[in-house]
Amino acid sequence: DAGVIQSPRHEVTEMGQEVTLRCKPISGHDYLFWYRQTMMRGLELLIYFNNNVPIDDSGMPEDRFSAKMPNASFSTLKIQPSEPRDSAVYFCASSRDRAFAYTFGSGTRLTVV
Amino acid sequence: QKEVEQDPGPLSVPEGAIVSLNCTYSNSAFQYFMWYRQYSRKGPELLMYTYSSGNKEDGRFTAQVDKSSKYISLFIRDSQPSDSATYLCALCRAAGNKLTFGGGTRVLVKP
């Protein structure tokens, strides 16, 4: 099992550009979560899916953020337009139904300059 | 006020010492309690989880939950330099629901 795979590992972009983060969850996991981690705010849940359907997007900071899960093996988090305050590490995690053992990816370190 | 409070540290201890970590929470709706460990530049990984008040032991790790005081703890016995990491508590209101994380405590175990 390759675990949760995120790409890219690092992303540096200019303010105003579109950024797309990608995630491949573990096969058989039906929950997928997008978290953002910063020194100031810690780990914050942005959105989560169950069986490819968005369940709770109340953590998405603003309309500039959007997430999709077109199938069970792929999800994207898009920021358009990006701003310097979006700089953070973005984690994707997956789990089986009613399980607390979230498996996290290694994260995407986003820097917006 | 945050739902889950955790001292950010850093907590520095000599090798072999007991590491004591804790979190407090404000909402009695939290029913499931977890500890995650995060190494630098890695994602968090689950260490332990528990549901009821009391102690749960796994090797050198002991998790304690006191629901009446809304207080959870993690103890690491015979700490090793490889235990140096950030430890995050995570709470859940119901099975299958989303986790709310504490801010994490950074631990340094010095040889």
Side-chain angles (χ1 to χ4, degrees):
Chain A
D1 191 342
V4 175
I5 300 172
Q6 290 187 247
S7 64
R9 286 298 309 273
H10 303 275
E11 177 81 34
V12 180
T13 191
E14 291 185 348
M15 183 173 64
Q17 295 298 305
E18 177 180 295
V19 176
T20 299
L21 312 181
R22 296 172 176 80
C23 175
K24 177 179 168 55
I26 290 175
S27 177
H29 283 192
D30 46 9
Y31 280 82
L32 184 138
F33 306 84
W34 282 101
Y35 281 86
R36 177 172 68 177
Q37 188 174 40
T38 61
M39 290 291 290
M40 290 296 294
R41 301 174 68 92
L43 264 174
E44 301 174 280
L45 178 65
L46 300 177
I47 184 171
Y48 78 96
F49 296 83
N50 179 217
N51 292 322
N52 313 337
V53 176
I55 302 300
D56 184 349
D57 66 354
S58 59
M60 296 286 260
E62 16 188 308
D63 291 346
R64 298 183 297 106
F65 285 70
S66 63
K68 293 181 180 179
M69 192 165 186
N71 57 62
S73 58
F74 184 66
S75 178
T76 58
L77 178 68
K78 187 175 292 186
I79 308 172
Q80 165 65 19
S82 57
E83 297 182 4
R85 59 193 168 119
D86 302 330
S87 297
V89 181
Y90 290 80
F91 286 104
C92 175
S94 69
S95 74
R96 281 194 294 267
D97 186 26
R98 298 183 176 278
F100 309 108
Y102 288 19
T103 301
F104 282 80
S106 294
T108 294
R109 185 172 295 272
L110 174 65
T111 303
V112 183
V113 297
Chain B
Q1 184 187 3
K2 292 182 180 178
E3 283 192 289
V4 183
E5 298 280 357
Q6 188 175 5
D7 188 325
L11 179 62
S12 183
V13 300
E15 183 176 355
I18 294 176
V19 176
S20 175
L21 305 166
N22 57 74
C23 287
T24 58
Y25 60 97
S26 55
N27 193 333
S28 58
F30 287 121
Q31 297 295 320
Y32 298 85
F33 309 92
M34 284 130 278
W35 285 95
Y36 277 76
R37 177 176 63 195
Q38 185 177 20
Y39 290 114
S40 180
R41 299 190 178 271
K42 298 286 188 183
E45 57 179 336
L46 179 68
L47 271 179
M48 299 181 70
Y49 84 89
T50 186
Y51 170 71
S52 57
S53 284
N55 292 0
K56 182 176 181 179
E57 201 171 303
D58 184 1
R60 296 185 296 112
F61 298 89
T62 299
Q64 250 180 25
V65 175
D66 183 348
K67 288 186 178 180
S68 62
S69 301
K70 299 187 182 67
Y71 189 88
I72 64 173
S73 301
L74 177 71
F75 300 96
I76 308 173
R77 291 184 301 280
D78 188 24
S79 57
Q80 304 295 311
S82 59
D83 295 325
S84 297
T86 297
Y87 291 80
L88 303 106
C89 61
L91 289 69
C92 183
R93 288 182 174 81
N97 211 330
K98 60 185 181 183
L99 298 184
T100 300
F101 282 86
T105 300
R106 186 167 159 237
V107 172
L108 298 171
V109 181
K110 297 185 176 180

